[in-house]
Amino acid sequence: MARPGDNSMAVVVAAATGLLVAVALGSWWTATAVVEGSTGAVLLRFVLSVAGGCYYLAVYRVARGRPMLG
């Protein structure tokens, strides 16, 4: 039977990969809105990109055994 800490390295790798992808795609997605000149889309895409990055950062911190905030 698996214990809670058995897959911690896999979770760390998945969270780090998710964080990198969220930053890369969020940057590209926001930049396309800047090129289009849509201020509302820039704000919305930036907020969604930051939210996705924060989610994966929180998962990464929890997987490393650190508190989610702090």
Side-chain angles (χ1 to χ4, degrees), residues 22-47:
V23 169
L25 287 179
S27 299
W28 171 79
W29 196 38
T30 304
T32 59
V34 170
V35 169
E36 293 170 0
S38 177
T39 307
V42 169
L43 181 62
L44 177 67
R45 291 175 184 189
F46 180 76
V47 168

Side-chain angles (χ1 to χ4, degrees), residues 6-23:
D6 287 347
N7 294 326
S8 65
M9 189 53 141
V11 174
V12 168
V13 170
T17 303
L19 182 58
L20 290 172
V21 169
V23 169

